[in-house]
mmCIF file with all atom_site columns, all heavy atoms in Angstrom:
data_model
loop_
_atom_site.group_PDB
_atom_site.id
_atom_site.type_symbol
_atom_site.label_atom_id
_atom_site.label_alt_id
_atom_site.label_comp_id
_atom_site.label_asym_id
_atom_site.label_entity_id
_atom_site.label_seq_id
_atom_site.pdbx_PDB_ins_code
_atom_site.Cartn_x
_atom_site.Cartn_y
_atom_site.Cartn_z
_atom_site.occupancy
_atom_site.B_iso_or_equiv
_atom_site.pdbx_formal_charge
_atom_site.auth_seq_id
_atom_site.auth_comp_id
_atom_site.auth_asym_id
_atom_site.auth_atom_id
_atom_site.pdbx_PDB_model_num
ATOM 1   N N   . VAL S 1 37 ? -77.155 6.518  -115.007 1.00 78.00 ? 66  VAL S N   1
ATOM 2   C CA  . VAL S 1 37 ? -76.298 7.516  -114.532 1.00 78.00 ? 66  VAL S CA  1
ATOM 3   C C   . VAL S 1 37 ? -75.060 6.905  -113.944 1.00 78.00 ? 66  VAL S C   1
ATOM 4   O O   . VAL S 1 37 ? -73.866 7.251  -114.162 1.00 78.00 ? 66  VAL S O   1
ATOM 5   C CB  . VAL S 1 37 ? -76.923 8.434  -113.578 1.00 78.00 ? 66  VAL S CB  1
ATOM 6   C CG1 . VAL S 1 37 ? -76.041 9.390  -112.815 1.00 78.00 ? 66  VAL S CG1 1
ATOM 7   C CG2 . VAL S 1 37 ? -78.077 9.307  -114.320 1.00 78.00 ? 66  VAL S CG2 1
ATOM 8   N N   . ILE S 1 40 ? -73.125 4.240  -116.547 1.00 84.00 ? 69  ILE S N   1
ATOM 9   C CA  . ILE S 1 40 ? -72.747 4.602  -117.895 1.00 84.00 ? 69  ILE S CA  1
ATOM 10  C C   . ILE S 1 40 ? -72.207 6.055  -117.937 1.00 84.00 ? 69  ILE S C   1
ATOM 11  O O   . ILE S 1 40 ? -71.121 6.326  -118.396 1.00 84.00 ? 69  ILE S O   1
ATOM 12  C CB  . ILE S 1 40 ? -73.814 4.423  -118.912 1.00 84.00 ? 69  ILE S CB  1
ATOM 13  C CG1 . ILE S 1 40 ? -74.207 2.846  -118.868 1.00 84.00 ? 69  ILE S CG1 1
ATOM 14  C CG2 . ILE S 1 40 ? -73.531 4.841  -120.192 1.00 84.00 ? 69  ILE S CG2 1
ATOM 15  C CD1 . ILE S 1 40 ? -75.428 2.390  -119.761 1.00 84.00 ? 69  ILE S CD1 1
ATOM 16  N N   . ILE S 1 41 ? -73.055 6.942  -117.409 1.00 80.00 ? 70  ILE S N   1
ATOM 17  C CA  . ILE S 1 41 ? -72.709 8.338  -117.701 1.00 80.00 ? 70  ILE S CA  1
ATOM 18  C C   . ILE S 1 41 ? -71.594 8.874  -116.780 1.00 80.00 ? 70  ILE S C   1
ATOM 19  O O   . ILE S 1 41 ? -70.688 9.535  -117.201 1.00 80.00 ? 70  ILE S O   1
ATOM 20  C CB  . ILE S 1 41 ? -73.999 9.225  -117.551 1.00 80.00 ? 70  ILE S CB  1
ATOM 21  C CG1 . ILE S 1 41 ? -74.929 8.968  -118.654 1.00 80.00 ? 70  ILE S CG1 1
ATOM 22  C CG2 . ILE S 1 41 ? -73.760 10.752 -117.534 1.00 80.00 ? 70  ILE S CG2 1
ATOM 23  C CD1 . ILE S 1 41 ? -76.234 9.542  -118.749 1.00 80.00 ? 70  ILE S CD1 1
ATOM 24  N N   . MET S 1 42 ? -71.703 8.609  -115.339 1.00 75.00 ? 71  MET S N   1
ATOM 25  C CA  . MET S 1 42 ? -70.710 9.104  -114.460 1.00 75.00 ? 71  MET S CA  1
ATOM 26  C C   . MET S 1 42 ? -69.345 8.429  -114.761 1.00 75.00 ? 71  MET S C   1
ATOM 27  O O   . MET S 1 42 ? -68.435 9.188  -114.608 1.00 75.00 ? 71  MET S O   1
ATOM 28  C CB  . MET S 1 42 ? -71.252 8.829  -113.121 1.00 75.00 ? 71  MET S CB  1
ATOM 29  C CG  . MET S 1 42 ? -72.451 9.647  -112.716 1.00 75.00 ? 71  MET S CG  1
ATOM 30  S SD  . MET S 1 42 ? -72.360 11.463 -113.229 1.00 75.00 ? 71  MET S SD  1
ATOM 31  C CE  . MET S 1 42 ? -71.345 12.028 -111.898 1.00 75.00 ? 71  MET S CE  1
ATOM 32  N N   . PRO S 1 43 ? -69.261 7.140  -115.056 1.00 80.00 ? 72  PRO S N   1
ATOM 33  C CA  . PRO S 1 43 ? -67.960 6.689  -115.403 1.00 80.00 ? 72  PRO S CA  1
ATOM 34  C C   . PRO S 1 43 ? -67.308 7.412  -116.617 1.00 80.00 ? 72  PRO S C   1
ATOM 35  O O   . PRO S 1 43 ? -66.120 7.763  -116.639 1.00 80.00 ? 72  PRO S O   1
ATOM 36  C CB  . PRO S 1 43 ? -68.142 5.215  -115.733 1.00 80.00 ? 72  PRO S CB  1
ATOM 37  C CG  . PRO S 1 43 ? -69.356 4.956  -114.850 1.00 80.00 ? 72  PRO S CG  1
ATOM 38  C CD  . PRO S 1 43 ? -70.156 6.015  -114.999 1.00 80.00 ? 72  PRO S CD  1
ATOM 39  N N   . LEU S 1 44 ? -68.066 7.729  -117.649 1.00 83.00 ? 73  LEU S N   1
ATOM 40  C CA  . LEU S 1 44 ? -67.657 8.507  -118.773 1.00 83.00 ? 73  LEU S CA  1
ATOM 41  C C   . LEU S 1 44 ? -67.226 9.888  -118.362 1.00 83.00 ? 73  LEU S C   1
ATOM 42  O O   . LEU S 1 44 ? -66.133 10.366 -118.866 1.00 83.00 ? 73  LEU S O   1
ATOM 43  C CB  . LEU S 1 44 ? -68.727 8.442  -119.903 1.00 83.00 ? 73  LEU S CB  1
ATOM 44  C CG  . LEU S 1 44 ? -69.056 7.143  -120.566 1.00 83.00 ? 73  LEU S CG  1
ATOM 45  C CD1 . LEU S 1 44 ? -70.151 7.321  -121.636 1.00 83.00 ? 73  LEU S CD1 1
ATOM 46  C CD2 . LEU S 1 44 ? -67.831 6.634  -121.293 1.00 83.00 ? 73  LEU S CD2 1
ATOM 47  N N   . VAL S 1 45 ? -68.129 10.514 -117.503 1.00 77.00 ? 74  VAL S N   1
ATOM 48  C CA  . VAL S 1 45 ? -67.692 11.928 -117.139 1.00 77.00 ? 74  VAL S CA  1
ATOM 49  C C   . VAL S 1 45 ? -66.374 11.873 -116.256 1.00 77.00 ? 74  VAL S C   1
ATOM 50  O O   . VAL S 1 45 ? -65.517 12.645 -116.414 1.00 77.00 ? 74  VAL S O   1
ATOM 51  C CB  . VAL S 1 45 ? -68.844 12.539 -116.280 1.00 77.00 ? 74  VAL S CB  1
ATOM 52  C CG1 . VAL S 1 45 ? -68.417 13.856 -115.565 1.00 77.00 ? 74  VAL S CG1 1
ATOM 53  C CG2 . VAL S 1 45 ? -70.130 12.702 -117.145 1.00 77.00 ? 74  VAL S CG2 1
ATOM 54  N N   . GLY S 1 46 ? -66.342 10.791 -115.499 1.00 75.00 ? 75  GLY S N   1
ATOM 55  C CA  . GLY S 1 46 ? -65.024 10.482 -114.710 1.00 75.00 ? 75  GLY S CA  1
ATOM 56  C C   . GLY S 1 46 ? -63.814 10.433 -115.531 1.00 75.00 ? 75  GLY S C   1
ATOM 57  O O   . GLY S 1 46 ? -62.759 10.953 -115.169 1.00 75.00 ? 75  GLY S O   1
ATOM 58  N N   . VAL S 1 47 ? -63.942 9.697  -116.669 1.00 80.00 ? 76  VAL S N   1
ATOM 59  C CA  . VAL S 1 47 ? -62.752 9.499  -117.510 1.00 80.00 ? 76  VAL S CA  1
ATOM 60  C C   . VAL S 1 47 ? -62.437 10.894 -118.223 1.00 80.00 ? 76  VAL S C   1
ATOM 61  O O   . VAL S 1 47 ? -61.247 11.213 -118.304 1.00 80.00 ? 76  VAL S O   1
ATOM 62  C CB  . VAL S 1 47 ? -63.152 8.467  -118.699 1.00 80.00 ? 76  VAL S CB  1
ATOM 63  C CG1 . VAL S 1 47 ? -62.103 8.519  -119.731 1.00 80.00 ? 76  VAL S CG1 1
ATOM 64  C CG2 . VAL S 1 47 ? -63.130 7.089  -118.045 1.00 80.00 ? 76  VAL S CG2 1
ATOM 65  N N   . VAL S 1 48 ? -63.342 11.630 -118.594 1.00 83.00 ? 77  VAL S N   1
ATOM 66  C CA  . VAL S 1 48 ? -63.142 12.975 -119.192 1.00 83.00 ? 77  VAL S CA  1
ATOM 67  C C   . VAL S 1 48 ? -62.410 13.891 -118.224 1.00 83.00 ? 77  VAL S C   1
ATOM 68  O O   . VAL S 1 48 ? -61.628 14.579 -118.676 1.00 83.00 ? 77  VAL S O   1
ATOM 69  C CB  . VAL S 1 48 ? -64.596 13.538 -119.734 1.00 83.00 ? 77  VAL S CB  1
ATOM 70  C CG1 . VAL S 1 48 ? -64.286 15.008 -120.095 1.00 83.00 ? 77  VAL S CG1 1
ATOM 71  C CG2 . VAL S 1 48 ? -65.090 12.765 -120.840 1.00 83.00 ? 77  VAL S CG2 1
ATOM 72  N N   . PHE S 1 49 ? -62.767 13.800 -116.986 1.00 75.00 ? 78  PHE S N   1
ATOM 73  C CA  . PHE S 1 49 ? -62.132 14.605 -115.914 1.00 75.00 ? 78  PHE S CA  1
ATOM 74  C C   . PHE S 1 49 ? -61.040 14.014 -115.195 1.00 75.00 ? 78  PHE S C   1
ATOM 75  O O   . PHE S 1 49 ? -60.694 14.285 -114.049 1.00 75.00 ? 78  PHE S O   1
ATOM 76  C CB  . PHE S 1 49 ? -63.242 15.130 -114.924 1.00 75.00 ? 78  PHE S CB  1
ATOM 77  C CG  . PHE S 1 49 ? -64.180 16.063 -115.462 1.00 75.00 ? 78  PHE S CG  1
ATOM 78  C CD1 . PHE S 1 49 ? -65.523 15.717 -115.792 1.00 75.00 ? 78  PHE S CD1 1
ATOM 79  C CD2 . PHE S 1 49 ? -63.849 17.468 -115.764 1.00 75.00 ? 78  PHE S CD2 1
ATOM 80  C CE1 . PHE S 1 49 ? -66.411 16.649 -116.355 1.00 75.00 ? 78  PHE S CE1 1
ATOM 81  C CE2 . PHE S 1 49 ? -64.734 18.310 -116.353 1.00 75.00 ? 78  PHE S CE2 1
ATOM 82  C CZ  . PHE S 1 49 ? -65.985 17.973 -116.638 1.00 75.00 ? 78  PHE S CZ  1
ATOM 83  N N   . GLY S 1 50 ? -60.381 12.991 -115.843 1.00 73.00 ? 79  GLY S N   1
ATOM 84  C CA  . GLY S 1 50 ? -59.183 12.426 -115.364 1.00 73.00 ? 79  GLY S CA  1
ATOM 85  C C   . GLY S 1 50 ? -59.415 11.327 -114.285 1.00 73.00 ? 79  GLY S C   1
ATOM 86  O O   . GLY S 1 50 ? -58.954 11.284 -113.244 1.00 73.00 ? 79  GLY S O   1
ATOM 87  N N   . LYS S 1 51 ? -60.265 10.313 -114.660 1.00 64.00 ? 80  LYS S N   1
ATOM 88  C CA  . LYS S 1 51 ? -60.513 9.204  -113.788 1.00 64.00 ? 80  LYS S CA  1
ATOM 89  C C   . LYS S 1 51 ? -61.065 9.511  -112.568 1.00 64.00 ? 80  LYS S C   1
ATOM 90  O O   . LYS S 1 51 ? -60.743 8.907  -111.506 1.00 64.00 ? 80  LYS S O   1
ATOM 91  C CB  . LYS S 1 51 ? -59.406 8.250  -113.779 1.00 64.00 ? 80  LYS S CB  1
ATOM 92  C CG  . LYS S 1 51 ? -59.022 7.747  -115.154 1.00 64.00 ? 80  LYS S CG  1
ATOM 93  C CD  . LYS S 1 51 ? -57.952 6.642  -114.981 1.00 64.00 ? 80  LYS S CD  1
ATOM 94  C CE  . LYS S 1 51 ? -57.580 6.197  -116.373 1.00 64.00 ? 80  LYS S CE  1
ATOM 95  N NZ  . LYS S 1 51 ? -56.960 5.002  -116.489 1.00 64.00 ? 80  LYS S NZ  1
ATOM 96  N N   . LEU S 1 52 ? -61.913 10.541 -112.493 1.00 66.00 ? 81  LEU S N   1
ATOM 97  C CA  . LEU S 1 52 ? -62.423 11.109 -111.275 1.00 66.00 ? 81  LEU S CA  1
ATOM 98  C C   . LEU S 1 52 ? -63.820 10.239 -110.861 1.00 66.00 ? 81  LEU S C   1
ATOM 99  O O   . LEU S 1 52 ? -64.662 9.992  -111.733 1.00 66.00 ? 81  LEU S O   1
ATOM 100 C CB  . LEU S 1 52 ? -62.873 12.433 -111.367 1.00 66.00 ? 81  LEU S CB  1
ATOM 101 C CG  . LEU S 1 52 ? -63.482 13.145 -110.172 1.00 66.00 ? 81  LEU S CG  1
ATOM 102 C CD1 . LEU S 1 52 ? -62.376 13.389 -109.031 1.00 66.00 ? 81  LEU S CD1 1
ATOM 103 C CD2 . LEU S 1 52 ? -63.795 14.607 -110.654 1.00 66.00 ? 81  LEU S CD2 1
ATOM 104 N N   . ASP S 1 53 ? -63.741 9.722  -109.632 1.00 67.00 ? 82  ASP S N   1
ATOM 105 C CA  . ASP S 1 53 ? -65.008 8.966  -109.349 1.00 67.00 ? 82  ASP S CA  1
ATOM 106 C C   . ASP S 1 53 ? -65.822 9.876  -108.329 1.00 67.00 ? 82  ASP S C   1
ATOM 107 O O   . ASP S 1 53 ? -65.414 10.130 -107.202 1.00 67.00 ? 82  ASP S O   1
ATOM 108 C CB  . ASP S 1 53 ? -64.444 7.696  -108.479 1.00 67.00 ? 82  ASP S CB  1
ATOM 109 C CG  . ASP S 1 53 ? -65.677 6.852  -107.950 1.00 67.00 ? 82  ASP S CG  1
ATOM 110 O OD1 . ASP S 1 53 ? -66.764 7.048  -108.481 1.00 67.00 ? 82  ASP S OD1 1
ATOM 111 O OD2 . ASP S 1 53 ? -65.425 5.926  -107.178 1.00 67.00 ? 82  ASP S OD2 1
ATOM 112 N N   . PHE S 1 54 ? -66.893 10.271 -108.838 1.00 74.00 ? 83  PHE S N   1
ATOM 113 C CA  . PHE S 1 54 ? -67.740 11.315 -108.117 1.00 74.00 ? 83  PHE S CA  1
ATOM 114 C C   . PHE S 1 54 ? -68.319 10.603 -106.716 1.00 74.00 ? 83  PHE S C   1
ATOM 115 O O   . PHE S 1 54 ? -68.509 11.433 -105.810 1.00 74.00 ? 83  PHE S O   1
ATOM 116 C CB  . PHE S 1 54 ? -68.944 11.674 -108.976 1.00 74.00 ? 83  PHE S CB  1
ATOM 117 C CG  . PHE S 1 54 ? -68.561 12.681 -110.015 1.00 74.00 ? 83  PHE S CG  1
ATOM 118 C CD1 . PHE S 1 54 ? -68.231 12.372 -111.234 1.00 74.00 ? 83  PHE S CD1 1
ATOM 119 C CD2 . PHE S 1 54 ? -68.549 14.051 -109.562 1.00 74.00 ? 83  PHE S CD2 1
ATOM 120 C CE1 . PHE S 1 54 ? -67.926 13.319 -112.277 1.00 74.00 ? 83  PHE S CE1 1
ATOM 121 C CE2 . PHE S 1 54 ? -67.926 15.008 -110.614 1.00 74.00 ? 83  PHE S CE2 1
ATOM 122 C CZ  . PHE S 1 54 ? -67.783 14.593 -111.904 1.00 74.00 ? 83  PHE S CZ  1
ATOM 123 N N   . ILE S 1 89 ? -73.661 15.325 -106.574 1.00 84.00 ? 118 ILE S N   1
ATOM 124 C CA  . ILE S 1 89 ? -73.480 15.639 -108.023 1.00 84.00 ? 118 ILE S CA  1
ATOM 125 C C   . ILE S 1 89 ? -74.062 14.466 -108.729 1.00 84.00 ? 118 ILE S C   1
ATOM 126 O O   . ILE S 1 89 ? -74.738 14.756 -109.857 1.00 84.00 ? 118 ILE S O   1
ATOM 127 C CB  . ILE S 1 89 ? -71.988 15.703 -108.284 1.00 84.00 ? 118 ILE S CB  1
ATOM 128 C CG1 . ILE S 1 89 ? -71.374 17.104 -107.640 1.00 84.00 ? 118 ILE S CG1 1
ATOM 129 C CG2 . ILE S 1 89 ? -71.655 15.734 -109.811 1.00 84.00 ? 118 ILE S CG2 1
ATOM 130 C CD1 . ILE S 1 89 ? -69.890 17.135 -107.725 1.00 84.00 ? 118 ILE S CD1 1
ATOM 131 N N   . VAL S 1 93 ? -77.107 15.012 -111.490 1.00 79.00 ? 122 VAL S N   1
ATOM 132 C CA  . VAL S 1 93 ? -77.029 14.611 -112.917 1.00 79.00 ? 122 VAL S CA  1
ATOM 133 C C   . VAL S 1 93 ? -78.247 13.564 -113.170 1.00 79.00 ? 122 VAL S C   1
ATOM 134 O O   . VAL S 1 93 ? -78.821 13.699 -114.276 1.00 79.00 ? 122 VAL S O   1
ATOM 135 C CB  . VAL S 1 93 ? -75.695 13.998 -113.211 1.00 79.00 ? 122 VAL S CB  1
ATOM 136 C CG1 . VAL S 1 93 ? -75.681 13.268 -114.533 1.00 79.00 ? 122 VAL S CG1 1
ATOM 137 C CG2 . VAL S 1 93 ? -74.552 14.943 -113.167 1.00 79.00 ? 122 VAL S CG2 1
#
Side-chain angles (χ1 to χ4, degrees):
V66 170
I69 296 173
I70 293 175
M71 293 312 280
L73 292 175
V74 171
V76 168
V77 169
F78 289 107
K80 298 192 180 196
L81 182 64
D82 182 11
F83 283 96
I118 292 171
V122 169

